Amino acid sequence: MAAVDPVSDAPSMALPGLARALVSAGKLGQKSAEEIYKKAQANKNSFIAELTGSGAVSASDLAHTMSTAFGAPLLDLEAVDIQRLPKGLLDPKLCSAYRVLVLSKRNNRLIVATADPSDQTAADKVKFATQMGVDWVIAEWDKLSKMVEASSASANQAMDSIIGDDFEFDESTMDDSVIDEDQGAGATSDVDDAPVVKFLHKMLLDAFSQRASDLHFEPYEHTYRVRFRIDGELREIASPPVAIKDKLASRIKVISRMDISEKRVPQDGRMKLKVGPDRVIDFRVSTLPTLFGEKIVIRILDPSSAKLGIDALGYEAEEKERLLNAVGRPYGMVLVTGPTGSGKTVSLYTCLNILNKPGVNISTAEDPSEINLPGVNQVNVNDKAGLTFAAALKSFLRQDPDVIMVGEIRDLETADIAIKAAQTGHMVLSTLHTNDAPTTLTRMRNMGIAPFNIASSVILITAQRLARRLCAACKQPADIPHETLLEAGFKEEEVDGSWTPYRPVGCNMCNNGYKGRVGIYQVMPVSDEIQRIILRDGSSMEIAAQAESEGVKSLRKSGLHKVKLGVTSLEEVLGCTNE
């Protein structure tokens, strides 16, 4: 049923029907409607997305207004079970493009949820694709967007055919660890037609398209779930049948070159997904035996992240200058510290990319090598074969190196060799798992490294965290009490009203108000005075106090600076830093 625009007086500007209905209902001023429409066109965004993102009209208010204006029933999608929605009636791509959701079929008519019943194009597309009539039901934009995305990305549609199926993997086709998506879509191979294969391919592609960093496949006694880590936050994406857990694990292990018969111990592997003639995505795979099967975590390795450049990582001008000055020196040790998943590898590879020139010999030892960087000699350590970090470092020193990168300093032997390399004319880059820059020096002392070796080799330490970046399309000013800002670490003179903190809101362009992540850094050069503190075996508190007096920001203060700039929210900084 195509909707008729109830507005009789046409505005001065050719606005979409939704805008005219809101102006007619008194929910939106003519001038505001025109400004939002112009902004939507400039951002290549839909009017309704720009409208709700701007906060001019709430999704709930919009739905009630549309229901009244167009005489269509209003439905709360929270009362709808997504598993019971009809499947296969409408292409998921069309649903995503026009934000519509098929609720049911009655004779030769479809009951379709929409937030914009004035969209004649959407009605025509649905009619043409299904050859059926359309009856609109009004839903709130934010709830509809989430359900459309969940429905189109849900694995449950693809998994219905798996229950009860019995098929084997043709391992003879798995000699190459590259999954070719063109072959996967074809009908020439029985293996590539298997629903488990299609499901795995879909999960990998969806994770990459949603900018996820990790995929978690988790078996439990009566359930099986798939979660993506997006912008540092785990989200449940699908709940396929428990029956597929062994077949899915076997498929992943085959293409990751693991032992599919061994289910009692953890295993590590790698695989690649070919998504085009010249585009291949790398994945690092880890399996872990649990009570109810093997949990599998797949890390997405994006080679382009190493080529973003130092400016894209979020370093402030002063921090960037300190880091570039350190890595540009002919010898010494630069350490990057932080917890797992804080972006240490990307920071190291960014530095390597700066140093990677025809006249420089660079060697790296990693466990494993995550990003392939042409021009760099990369070695994967293999403890079982005797190729440890220490053994690789000893070999590097016989290979005429200029720059050495050690994935992680784990023990005294590795630390000793790395320090000797830094003391004998080589630039050494490495990582440590410590909370901040000052505690890194005392951590090395506790490992058994002599103070004079630390003082004479380490030239700079960078501690870092990753904070979620506020979505520029929907962030709004936050009303934070003066006392709260002071408790967070702002000085009295900084809370002067000259800047505005922002809070996350959430729109169809982001994830709960955040989109992407930004680095928070503490870049601490080892000055002469800090060297003297190290030599007299001073504490990390003494080092921190001296670093602060030299202008080095703590992680908390660096994060608060990002809050002042409107890059992230105060709660995000408080959640990932300590004071």
Side-chain angles (χ1 to χ4, degrees):
M1 180 176 69
V4 179
D5 190 346
V7 183
S8 58
D9 296 324
S12 58
M13 184 179 182
L15 294 172
L18 179 68
R20 298 198 302 274
L22 289 170
V23 171
S24 177
K27 297 293 182 179
L28 195 64
Q30 173 71 29
K31 186 176 180 181
S32 298
E34 292 178 358
E35 288 175 354
I36 294 172
Y37 183 56
K38 288 178 182 177
K39 191 174 179 181
Q41 289 182 312
N43 294 337
K44 296 182 179 179
N45 200 5
S46 68
F47 175 82
I48 191 170
E50 198 71 45
L51 175 73
T52 54
S54 68
V57 178
S58 70
S60 176
D61 205 3
L62 174 65
H64 282 86
T65 304
M66 291 300 99
S67 177
T68 302
F70 291 90
L74 182 64
L75 175 68
D76 185 0
L77 288 180
E78 288 184 350
V80 176
D81 184 359
I82 193 172
Q83 305 297 336
R84 295 181 178 273
L85 292 178
K87 299 174 178 64
L89 292 175
L90 200 58
D91 186 353
K93 292 181 180 178
L94 193 150
C95 293
S96 296
Y98 292 97
R99 283 295 188 268
V100 294
L101 186 69
V102 178
L103 300 175
S104 65
K105 178 187 174 186
R106 185 183 302 151
N107 297 324
N108 199 36
R109 300 191 70 82
L110 294 179
I111 312 299
V112 182
T114 181
D116 182 8
S118 69
D119 191 349
Q120 187 61 44
T121 304
D124 293 340
K125 289 281 185 181
V126 173
K127 287 179 182 177
F128 180 80
T130 61
Q131 296 298 303
M132 298 183 196
V134 177
D135 293 329
W136 290 130
V137 171
I138 309 300
E140 294 175 37
W141 169 258
D142 52 355
K143 295 178 182 178
L144 178 63
S145 295
K146 288 179 182 178
M147 187 163 280
V148 167
E149 289 171 2
S151 178
S152 62
S154 174
N156 296 310
Q157 294 180 10
M159 299 314 299
D160 285 345
S161 59
I162 293 178
I163 305 174
D165 277 0
D166 187 20
F167 56 87
E168 299 294 332
F169 292 103
D170 183 0
E171 297 179 17
S172 64
T173 66
M174 293 294 107
D175 291 338
D176 191 354
S177 62
V178 177
I179 314 171
D180 191 329
E181 197 60 25
D182 293 333
Q183 294 175 356
T188 57
S189 168
D190 291 337
V191 170
D192 286 324
D193 282 338
V196 162
V197 177
K198 293 180 180 179
F199 170 62
L200 175 59
H201 286 190
K202 178 173 177 55
M203 288 294 99
L204 295 175
L205 287 171
D206 284 356
F208 184 74
S209 65
Q210 294 180 40
R211 305 186 315 278
S213 59
D214 301 87
L215 298 84
H216 292 241
F217 296 87
E218 301 170 314
Y220 298 98
E221 186 174 10
H222 301 296
T223 59
Y224 190 75
R225 70 177 178 182
V226 181
R227 294 193 290 175
F228 292 175
R229 187 175 292 278
I230 302 173
D231 294 338
E233 186 179 50
L234 273 175
R235 288 191 192 168
E236 185 168 342
I237 300 298
S239 298
V242 181
I244 76 159
K245 64 181 181 180
D246 292 330
K247 294 176 180 178
L248 184 61
S250 295
R251 168 69 179 179
I252 293 172
K253 288 164 78 172
V254 165
I255 57 181
S256 302
R257 298 177 183 268
M258 298 183 196
D259 183 356
I260 62 170
S261 64
E262 182 56 80
K263 300 180 180 180
R264 300 166 298 175
V265 296
Q267 295 188 64
D268 293 306
R270 293 184 69 128
M271 64 182 179
K272 298 182 179 182
L273 177 65
K274 189 174 181 182
V275 294
D278 56 356
R279 184 72 186 273
V280 175
I281 308 168
D282 289 293
F283 299 91
R284 189 177 73 193
V285 184
S286 173
T287 68
L288 179 70
T290 66
L291 285 176
F292 304 106
E294 290 179 285
K295 173 179 177 177
I296 300 174
V297 176
I298 301 178
R299 165 70 57 90
I300 299 177
L301 308 175
D302 186 5
S304 62
S305 61
K307 300 177 182 178
L308 290 174
I310 195 167
D311 293 319
L313 299 183
Y315 284 94
E316 301 299 328
E318 189 177 11
E319 297 169 344
K320 171 186 169 183
E321 184 181 359
R322 289 174 184 162
L323 181 60
L324 292 179
N325 285 341
V327 298
R329 290 170 63 172
Y331 59 88
M333 180 181 287
V334 173
L335 295 172
V336 180
T337 74
T340 302
S342 61
K344 299 189 299 295
T345 301
V346 172
S347 292
L348 280 178
Y349 270 93
T350 301
C351 293
L352 287 181
N353 210 36
I354 294 169
L355 298 171
N356 189 12
K357 299 174 183 176
V360 180
N361 180 21
I362 303 176
S363 296
T364 74
E366 302 163 82
D367 183 22
S369 176
E370 292 190 3
I371 299 172
N372 181 25
L373 200 59
V376 174
N377 307 293
Q378 297 171 278
V379 174
N380 280 338
V381 300
N382 186 339
D383 290 336
K384 291 182 181 178
L387 182 55
T388 61
F389 279 118
L393 274 174
K394 288 178 182 177
S395 179
F396 288 168
L397 294 176
R398 296 190 291 270
Q399 292 274 320
D400 184 30
D402 295 305
V403 178
I404 295 172
M405 195 266 270
V406 187
E408 183 184 348
I409 294 179
R410 296 177 179 173
D411 51 55
L412 179 59
E413 184 183 11
T414 305
D416 273 337
I417 300 171
I419 283 173
K420 287 173 184 175
Q423 291 171 334
T424 54
H426 307 96
M427 171 55 62
V428 179
L429 308 177
S430 189
T431 70
L432 269 176
H433 290 278
T434 57
N435 290 328
D436 58 16
T439 56
T440 303
L441 297 170
T442 53
R443 165 87 174 97
M444 295 179 75
R445 183 73 188 91
N446 292 337
M447 287 175 68
I449 305 169
F452 63 86
N453 277 335
I454 300 173
S456 62
S457 59
V458 181
I459 59 175
L460 181 132
I461 302 171
T462 295
Q464 63 183 70
R465 299 287 188 277
L466 286 178
R468 289 182 293 173
R469 189 189 294 267
L470 282 168
C471 173
C474 67
K475 67 178 182 180
Q476 291 184 359
D479 185 15
I480 302 176
H482 184 87
E483 295 76 14
T484 303
L485 294 174
L486 294 177
E487 288 176 9
F490 284 107
K491 295 179 181 178
E492 185 69 45
E493 59 269 23
E494 292 179 301
V495 190
D496 56 3
S498 61
W499 57 275
T500 304
Y502 287 87
R503 64 179 177 85
V505 177
C507 65
N508 66 312
M509 298 173 63
C510 65
N511 300 307
N512 298 325
Y514 296 98
K515 187 174 183 180
R517 291 193 283 178
V518 64
I520 296 175
Y521 302 95
Q522 179 186 28
V523 182
M524 187 185 82
V526 179
S527 63
D528 293 341
E529 187 56 41
I530 291 178
Q531 284 182 340
R532 281 190 276 272
I533 296 174
I534 296 169
L535 288 171
R536 68 168 186 264
D537 217 4
S539 68
S540 59
M541 290 184 289
E542 291 179 78
I543 296 170
Q546 179 60 34
E548 186 176 3
S549 70
E550 295 174 2
V552 176
K553 293 179 183 175
S554 67
L555 282 167
R556 169 61 63 83
K557 289 184 178 174
S558 181
L560 293 178
H561 184 65
K562 294 285 195 297
V563 174
K564 288 180 69 174
L565 296 176
V567 175
T568 188
S569 64
L570 181 62
E571 56 264 37
E572 185 69 11
V573 170
L574 296 179
C576 66
T577 63
N578 292 322
E579 184 68 324

